[in-house]
Amino acid sequence: MTTRRQVMKLAAFAASQTALMGAVRAEGGVDPGAAASSRLPFAQQTPMRIGAAALRVRDLGKMRTYYTDLLKLDTIRADKTEVVLGVDGVALLHLIHRPDAPLEAQTTAGLFHTAFLMPSRADFARWLVHAALARTPFDGFADHHVSEASYLTDPEGNGIEVYSDRPPSAWKWTGDMVTMGTDQLDIDNIVAQTDTTRDQYHTAPKALRIGHMHLRVGDVARGRNFYEGLIGMEPTRLGRPGVAFLSSGRYHHHIGINTWQSAGSGPRNAQETGLAWFSLRIADDAVITDRKRRLAAAGLSGESIADGIAIADPWGTQVRLVKA
């Protein structure tokens, strides 16, 4: 996905006050110093889309600080048991306090990463400079053809992706399968859109959202049966060993599942840290009704929640289907 040289390259421009001095180039004529993008990205315009995610965490204060510093999320609600972070009043991340929870192993089913989608490439550029100037450790970077991405790990081992999409018109499809890859990310080309000598990412863009969730599962076929057959996602990328990508409305993927570290895993331990639940927002009431029918036919009743239903996947991660 990346090399140490690439990581050091990003750190180098953060340390240098002369790197790309004064370079401010707009994408498509947009001034990168203008207000952050407010239009929702394509990932959030599909019939089903990711809503929020919830993590069980041991150190609530440390985790809250990490995500607010990293992404400049607002605190929407906070008490001793839970902190809710988001943007412009929209909840994106719930941190559930479990001070005595054992840390979840990376070889079990669970969270691979939560992927935060920047509304534009210019927003992504400003965020990269912000993270680099703050000396934020990165795990890697990748050009996926449909998107440009960076990867991090939070203080309790939860994976994070921060990315921006290329225009959907530029994605290449063969039938229902989209072309994705893992190539070297051209960081210089991205950050050339903004001033790399100062931090201009002071608040999160109003249209920042979770673009997709990538999960560790015990078996890809079983995962597809749940997320595709019962939840109603459609496959968009198959073929690589141990991984599948699924989406709604021809987004490149809203859900990724893999067995790279977790093949054969059984049910998760709900007492451990990690992903507690995530939500899928659904625009059409009829779709929620249909999903309830599918689940009932499979002998899965689910749990009624406000505006929807909650159901556990085969490994115990709760998926909440809620009205958008």
Side-chain angles (χ1 to χ4, degrees):
M1 180 177 294
T2 187
T3 65
R4 177 175 174 80
R5 183 182 63 80
Q6 287 174 272
V7 177
M8 294 303 294
K9 184 177 183 180
L10 183 58
F13 84 69
S16 173
Q17 293 302 301
T18 60
L20 297 177
M21 182 68 73
V24 180
R25 291 208 306 256
E27 179 182 29
V30 177
D31 178 2
S37 301
S38 58
R39 183 184 178 188
L40 287 177
F42 175 61
Q44 291 287 315
Q45 300 176 34
T46 53
M48 290 191 287
R49 73 294 301 258
I50 303 296
L55 301 176
R56 292 185 290 262
V57 305
R58 297 205 297 190
D59 191 328
L60 187 61
K62 185 175 184 178
M63 292 288 277
R64 176 184 183 178
T65 298
Y66 178 84
Y67 282 97
T68 53
D69 286 351
L70 178 71
L71 293 164
K72 297 299 181 183
L73 298 178
D74 301 324
T75 298
I76 295 175
R77 186 174 72 253
D79 58 34
K80 293 181 179 179
T81 62
E82 183 176 7
V83 170
V84 181
L85 304 175
V87 177
D88 199 32
V90 178
L92 298 180
L93 187 64
H94 296 244
L95 302 175
I96 303 168
H97 197 202
R98 296 289 185 270
D100 298 322
L103 289 173
E104 183 176 71
Q106 300 299 302
T107 53
T108 66
L111 179 67
F112 192 65
H113 60 240
T114 303
F116 293 91
L117 175 58
M118 290 289 164
S120 73
R121 197 172 191 243
D123 290 314
F124 185 42
R126 282 191 292 275
W127 177 80
L128 279 171
V129 173
H130 159 74
L133 290 172
R135 299 294 193 274
T136 303
F138 284 85
D139 297 334
F141 309 91
D143 182 335
H144 293 306
H145 301 176
V146 294
S147 64
E148 297 173 296
S150 63
Y151 296 91
L152 312 92
T153 302
D154 77 18
E156 294 192 2
N158 300 291
I160 300 167
E161 178 179 343
V162 181
Y163 73 114
S164 65
D165 278 331
R166 287 197 167 92
S169 60
W171 303 350
K172 295 181 180 179
W173 294 83
T174 302
D176 294 328
M177 298 291 108
V178 69
T179 298
M180 292 194 284
T182 303
D183 296 334
Q184 180 173 311
L185 185 65
D186 190 344
I187 295 172
D188 284 342
N189 185 268
I190 297 170
V191 301
Q193 297 179 88
T194 191
D195 184 347
T196 60
T197 67
R198 60 194 180 98
D199 187 350
Q200 298 185 85
Y201 186 88
H202 306 302
T203 59
K206 289 185 177 182
L208 175 69
R209 294 293 187 272
I210 297 175
H212 66 267
M213 299 294 297
H214 196 148
L215 310 173
R216 303 188 309 264
V217 298
D219 179 81
V220 168
R222 194 177 178 197
R224 283 188 64 191
N225 183 62
F226 179 83
Y227 287 102
E228 184 181 338
L230 297 179
I231 300 301
M233 289 285 174
E234 300 167 345
T236 56
R237 184 69 178 170
L238 305 171
R240 288 180 60 194
V243 66
F245 298 100
L246 312 167
S247 88
S248 171
R250 286 176 74 85
Y251 185 54
H252 54 74
H253 69 294
H254 290 102
I255 303 290
I257 55 175
N258 78 65
T259 58
W260 296 329
Q261 300 166 285
S262 55
S265 291
R268 299 174 60 203
N269 182 349
Q271 303 306 310
E272 293 179 343
T273 61
L275 182 64
W277 58 263
F278 69 93
S279 63
L280 286 167
R281 299 183 65 82
I282 300 174
D284 189 345
D285 285 333
V287 174
I288 296 181
T289 300
D290 174 74
R291 299 309 183 262
K292 289 180 179 179
R293 178 192 59 77
R294 291 191 194 190
L295 293 167
L300 302 171
S301 59
E303 173 189 351
S304 293
I305 58 174
D307 297 326
I309 184 173
I311 187 75
D313 78 3
W315 298 274
T317 298
Q318 188 183 88
V319 183
R320 299 184 174 186
L321 308 179
V322 298
K323 183 70 172 67

